Amino acid sequence: MDTIALATLLFPNVTKTPSDMEALFPPRTLSEGAVVSRMAPSPTGFVHLGNLVQGLTSERMCHQSGGTLFLRVEDTDAKREVAGAVEILIESLKHYNIHFDEGATVDGDNGIYGPYRQRQRAEIYHVYAKQLVLEGMAYPCFCTEEELADIRARQEAEKANYGYFGKWAVWRDRPMEDIEAALAQGMPWVLRFRSTGSIENKIRFTDLIKGNLELTENDMDHVLLKSDGIPTYHFAHAVDDHLMHTTHVVRGDEWLPTLPFHLQLFRSLGFKPPKYLHIGPLMKMDGESKRKLSKRKDPELALTYYREAGFPVASVYEYLMTVLNSNFEDWRRANPDAPIDSFKFSYKKMNPAGSLFDAAKLRDVSKNVISRMSTDRIYDEVVAWASDYDTALHSHLTGDPSYAKSILSIGRGGKKPRKDFAVLADVRPYLDFFYDDWFTVTDTYPDTFDKADIKAALEGFMKTFDGADDMNVWFDKIKAVAEGLGFASDMKAYKENPENYRGNVADISMFLRVAVTGRLNSPDMYAVMQILGKDRVFARINAMIDTL
Ligand code: GLU
C-alpha cells in the first residue's frame, strides 16, 4: 500500500505535521513533581458524584503539588449532547469549588493549550490521524451499519469474539482501488487503528491506585475518527493528554478495559503515556449486597440532589474526603478546626476497589461541618440555599439579618456546638417559631398535668420575669415559681421522693416552652426569650393562658 497516496487521499487539506503541533503546544514550565491533570467530562447534562470524586482527586493532586488543573469538555459524542449541558457542567463544578487553572469556561477558553472543547480540535486530530495513515497504522473502513451488524451475527453464530479484528476486519488490507472507488462514490468512512496486538499476550502495567495489573493486549481495529471526522474518546484522549501535557490521568475504572488500546495508541503516536489512576466505583448497600450507584435507581448520584437537599458544599467535600482517603477521619479528629485544604491528600490512601456511599454518614459529617461554621457563615449558606429553594425563608432571613443571626448563633461556638442541622433545609423547621407569622402551637401539654398548675406557672413566671436578668437569675426565678406551686426545684430531691411533689422544675420549663415556641422541644429557652423579647414572650404566654 502506498501510504503517502492514501494519506493524501483521505486528508487532502491537512498540511500541518505533528512537529507543527508540538511547537504550538510546548511543554509546560512547572517545577519538578508538579502534577498536571484534568477533568474531562462529557456534557450530558447530568453531573454526578463520580465526576466530583474524580475532580477532587485531580484537583488535590494538582494543587498540592504546585501543578495545573484544567477542564476539557469531551463533546465528541453528539448523540449524547444536551443543550446547555456545558454551562450546567461548568456551573456545577464551580458550585463545588473546583478551581480550574485553565480550560473551558462559560465564556470560552482560558489557557494556551486550547481549544478545550474537543469538537473544536478536529483539525488537530486530523494531523495525527494522517500521520498514522502515513505510517501504515490506520486505514479507512467503509462498512455500513448493516455490514457491521452482519459481521456481528456471524461472530455470534461462530461463537467468536465480537468486534472488528483479524479476519473480520474486512477493510484492513483492501487495495487502494477499492478505497478510491468507495471514496469516489461518496461512501462515508471511519478511520480505524491497525492493531498488531494479540489476545494471547498480556501487558503489565502499574496503576497508581490499583497497583500492578496484567491486562490482555488489544487486538481490535478500533475506530479513531468517526465518519463526521470527529475522534472517538480513545484517540482524542491520547492526542489531547499528550498535547496538553497531562502528567496524571484520573478517571473511572470503567476505562480499564480499554487501557491496553490507549497504551498502544500512545506508543503508535510516539507519545509518552501519562500516569494513570483508575478510581473504583461508588457503591451502596442494597440489602445485604453492595452495588454500584445507578443513575436510574439512585437520586443521590446526581449532584443536584445535594444542592436541593441543602448539603453545604463544605459538607459534601468533607464527606468525600472521608470516602477518598482512609486516614482523613483520624486527621479530622486530631485537627477539628483546621481548614480542609491543609489535609495532605494522597492517592495512596484510596481504596482500589471503590468506596461505599453511606447517606447516614454524610448526614453526620454534615452536622459536624455545619456546627463548626460561624454564625455569619451559616447565615450566608442558608440565605444562598433559600434564595433557590425556599423563598419565604429567604425573605424572612434577609428582612432582618441581625435578628436571623441572633437565632442562628444559639449554641454556636464553644467546644461542643449544637448539631441541629444536617442540611440547610433543617433550618426553617428549627427557627420558624421565631417569626410571628410562622408561629403556631403544634404540641400540646401532656394530660398528666393540671391546667390550673400550668396556668399558675405561666402567670407566676410573668410576675417576676425581667429581660435584663442573666441566665442564673432567670432560672432561679423559674425555680421559685416551681417551689411556690409544689413542684421540686431540685431534681435530685425530686428523683428521691417524686411522690412529695406535683412535678419538677423541668415541667415548669416545659409549660413555658410550649407556650413560647409551640413545641415540646426547642433551642435553649433563655436564649429564645432573649431574642423574642419580653413583649412577644408575654403575648404568647397570655395567648396560651386564654386557651387553658
Ligand atoms: N469523557 C470521559 C468520561 O466522561 C473522560 C474520561 C477521562 O477522564 O479520561 O468518562
Side-chain angles (χ1 to χ4, degrees):
M1 172 70 70
D2 178 353
T3 55
I4 299 180
L6 179 60
T8 314
L9 192 62
L10 296 177
F11 300 101
N13 301 322
V14 174
T15 52
K16 293 210 169 68
T17 64
S19 21
D20 295 328
M21 293 297 114
E22 303 294 325
L24 275 176
F25 301 98
R28 294 168 183 272
T29 43
L30 288 167
S31 52
E32 183 79 15
V35 171
V36 178
S37 189
R38 77 297 189 280
M39 274 193 87
S42 303
T44 59
F46 181 68
V47 194
H48 54 81
L49 215 48
N51 293 127
L52 202 54
V53 164
Q54 185 276 323
L56 281 180
T57 306
S58 291
E59 191 277 338
R60 287 292 73 203
M61 289 179 66
C62 292
H63 292 151
Q64 275 182 185
S65 65
T68 299
L69 176 71
F70 64 88
L71 175 65
R72 182 169 73 224
V73 174
E74 303 219 320
D75 55 0
T76 56
D77 190 352
K79 285 198 284 297
R80 292 172 71 200
E81 180 112 359
V82 172
V86 174
E87 287 71 22
I88 293 175
L89 178 66
I90 293 175
E91 204 275 329
S92 312
L93 299 175
K94 191 161 163 224
H95 177 75
Y96 280 96
N97 289 337
I98 307 250
H99 169 74
F100 294 102
D101 306 292
E102 65 180 58
T105 72
V106 178
D107 312 315
D109 281 342
N110 165 35
I112 59 161
Y113 292 91
Y116 295 92
R117 287 168 171 80
Q118 288 182 326
R119 248 186 290 160
Q120 296 174 13
R121 298 173 64 80
E123 285 177 23
I124 300 172
Y125 305 119
H126 290 183
V127 171
Y128 288 96
K130 184 170 187 179
Q131 178 70 18
L132 287 177
V133 174
L134 272 173
E135 293 178 358
M137 291 191 268
Y139 63 91
C141 163
F142 295 83
C143 279
T144 60
E145 292 286 333
E146 293 71 34
E147 283 167 325
L148 292 174
D150 178 57
I151 291 175
R152 196 184 161 87
R154 285 188 287 127
Q155 287 171 334
E156 195 171 356
E158 279 187 32
K159 298 204 173 8
N161 286 342
Y162 293 133
Y164 199 92
F165 66 103
K167 69 170 181 177
W168 309 102
V170 291
W171 280 90
R172 187 175 161 113
D173 293 312
R174 288 283 269 268
M176 189 70 156
E177 300 79 68
D178 290 6
I179 295 173
E180 280 167 341
L183 283 175
Q185 280 175 41
M187 282 171 66
W189 55 277
V190 299
L191 189 73
R192 286 188 183 270
F193 180 63
R194 185 187 297 277
S195 176
T196 51
S198 156
I199 55 166
E200 302 301 322
N201 301 335
K202 299 278 179 208
I203 57 163
R204 275 179 219 285
F205 166 79
T206 304
D207 181 271
L208 294 188
I209 296 177
K210 304 257 178 201
N212 293 334
L213 301 172
E214 224 183 51
L215 300 165
T216 304
E217 234 176 43
N218 168 55
D219 66 341
M220 297 283 161
D221 286 2
H222 287 301
V223 174
L224 301 176
L225 290 180
K226 295 179 274 187
S227 57
D228 56 2
I230 296 298
T232 53
Y233 164 75
H234 318 287
F235 189 46
H237 156 48
V239 172
D240 289 348
D241 283 316
H242 169 70
L243 290 179
M244 295 176 179
H245 303 280
T246 304
T247 61
H248 291 69
V249 165
V250 181
R251 62 185 183 186
D253 67 1
E254 68 275 15
W255 292 109
L256 216 42
T258 34
L259 181 75
F261 172 43
H262 299 159
L263 294 174
Q264 256 179 334
L265 265 177
F266 273 88
R267 203 174 45 237
S268 306
L269 288 159
F271 301 159
K272 177 172 176 257
K275 294 196 163 56
Y276 284 93
L277 294 88
H278 286 93
I279 305 185
L282 279 174
M283 289 168 293
K284 75 186 267 186
M285 292 308 293
D286 195 351
E288 295 293 291
S289 53
K290 282 185 198 169
R291 65 163 172 78
K292 276 191 199 181
L293 281 179
S294 113
K295 182 174 171 182
R296 199 168 43 83
K297 293 191 206 151
D298 306 309
E300 68 268 34
L301 187 59
L303 282 192
T304 44
Y305 171 87
Y306 301 91
R307 206 161 166 178
E308 276 164 33
F311 283 103
V313 167
S315 298
V316 176
Y317 198 107
E318 180 100 2
Y319 174 68
L320 288 181
M321 281 295 162
T322 69
V323 167
L324 286 176
N325 264 202
S326 52
N327 57 333
F328 178 78
E329 284 181 89
D330 286 342
W331 175 84
R332 180 47 92 200
R333 267 188 289 276
N335 304 278
D337 298 313
I340 195 163
D341 285 356
S342 61
F343 171 70
K344 188 115 192 50
F345 180 89
S346 168
Y347 63 77
K348 295 189 180 130
K349 301 285 183 190
M350 291 174 81
N351 184 344
S355 316
L356 200 57
F357 175 81
D358 177 346
K361 178 85 182 277
L362 166 64
R363 290 181 66 82
D364 278 350
V365 167
S366 187
K367 276 188 178 170
N368 278 321
V369 168
I370 298 178
S371 76
R372 287 197 300 266
M373 288 178 180
S374 68
T375 299
D376 284 342
R377 170 85 188 274
I378 178 76
Y379 174 82
D380 290 344
E381 291 270 353
V382 188
V383 165
W385 173 82
S387 80
D388 289 331
Y389 301 105
D390 188 343
T391 49
L393 177 64
H394 184 263
S395 59
H396 279 67
L397 297 181
T398 54
D400 186 348
S402 69
Y403 181 69
K405 286 183 189 180
S406 60
I407 300 168
L408 290 167
S409 72
I410 299 175
R412 201 159 284 282
K415 281 230 167 345
K416 286 207 155 185
R418 286 183 61 105
K419 296 180 183 173
D420 293 301
F421 314 130
V423 290
L424 301 167
D426 292 340
V427 169
R428 176 163 167 176
Y430 168 88
L431 56 56
D432 56 1
F433 70 86
F434 278 100
Y435 293 90
D436 291 333
D437 58 335
W438 277 346
F439 170 68
T440 53
V441 178
T442 48
D443 289 340
T444 49
Y445 293 118
D447 304 336
T448 43
F449 294 99
D450 238 333
K451 285 195 172 167
D453 280 342
I454 299 172
K455 198 168 164 186
L458 296 177
E459 280 167 349
F461 171 81
M462 288 194 293
K463 278 202 190 93
T464 58
F465 176 84
D466 181 345
D469 289 341
D470 71 18
M471 184 144 83
N472 291 329
V473 175
W474 170 83
F475 194 52
D476 284 344
K477 286 180 174 177
I478 295 177
K479 282 185 183 165
V481 171
E483 276 163 23
L485 292 170
F487 284 63
S489 63
D490 175 8
M491 290 306 281
K492 205 167 148 236
Y494 175 75
K495 278 189 189 131
E496 276 161 19
N497 295 300
E499 65 288 351
N500 291 353
Y501 304 96
R502 299 179 69 74
N504 63 55
V505 67
D507 299 325
I508 305 292
S509 295
M510 181 268 286
F511 298 161
L512 291 165
R513 173 169 283 124
V514 174
V516 174
T517 70
R519 315 165 182 173
L520 289 161
N521 291 306
S522 78
D524 173 62
M525 278 308 290
Y526 177 74
V528 167
M529 291 187 184
Q530 288 291 311
I531 294 168
L532 283 173
K534 183 173 173 178
D535 291 351
R536 290 160 77 205
V537 170
F538 278 26
R540 290 182 185 191
I541 292 177
N542 282 321
M544 180 57 88
I545 288 171
D546 288 347
T547 69
L548 294 171

